[in-house]
Amino acid sequence: MASHVVHFEVTGKDGPALQRFYSELFGWKLDTNNPGGYGMVRDGERAITGGIGAAPQGTAGGVTFYVNTDDAKATLAKVEKLGGRVLMPLTEVAPETTIALFADPEGHVVGLM
């Protein structure tokens, strides 16, 4: 079996604020009943895919995770309402494939599909 992504992590200066942001944005239920209040998201039913490539011209690169939502436009509007900002509006990158990018309140970049 090939290796595959099994976990993602977002950490920052204000963990509880980031937990509220992502919980409200995506409806994720976080289990914080552990030492340090680390918020765990568990969803064993859905597969996760990934990609590796060159960073866009002029950027240092980094790690981005993409979240599929039922209504990406509404999710982007909610990003701004919750204190994040849209970095790239919903854009078709391949036939029948659209993505968008936003930054959470601490600047972490997240993609929508």
Side-chain angles (χ1 to χ4, degrees):
M1 175 187 281
S3 298
H4 61 281
V5 176
V6 295
H7 184 77
F8 67 85
E9 180 175 68
V10 178
T11 59
K13 298 174 201 156
D14 189 342
L18 288 171
Q19 290 170 353
R20 280 189 301 278
F21 178 85
Y22 287 103
S23 291
E24 290 181 32
L25 183 61
F26 295 126
W28 290 345
K29 304 292 184 229
L30 299 178
D31 177 4
T32 58
N33 187 22
N34 58 71
Y38 188 79
M40 291 294 299
V41 179
R42 292 183 173 89
D43 184 1
E45 296 179 15
R46 296 186 183 150
I48 189 168
T49 62
I52 302 170
Q57 185 76 17
T59 66
V63 177
T64 306
F65 64 90
Y66 289 78
V67 179
N68 182 270
T69 63
D70 290 334
D71 186 344
K73 287 182 182 179
T75 302
L76 289 173
K78 198 171 185 181
V79 163
E80 293 180 327
K81 178 182 171 197
L82 293 171
R85 68 187 159 91
V86 174
L87 301 174
M88 181 178 89
L90 202 56
T91 304
E92 186 172 2
V93 294
E96 299 183 33
T97 304
T98 57
I99 66 170
L101 295 171
F102 69 87
D104 71 17
E106 289 200 18
H108 302 100
V109 177
V110 177
L112 292 178
M113 295 185 92

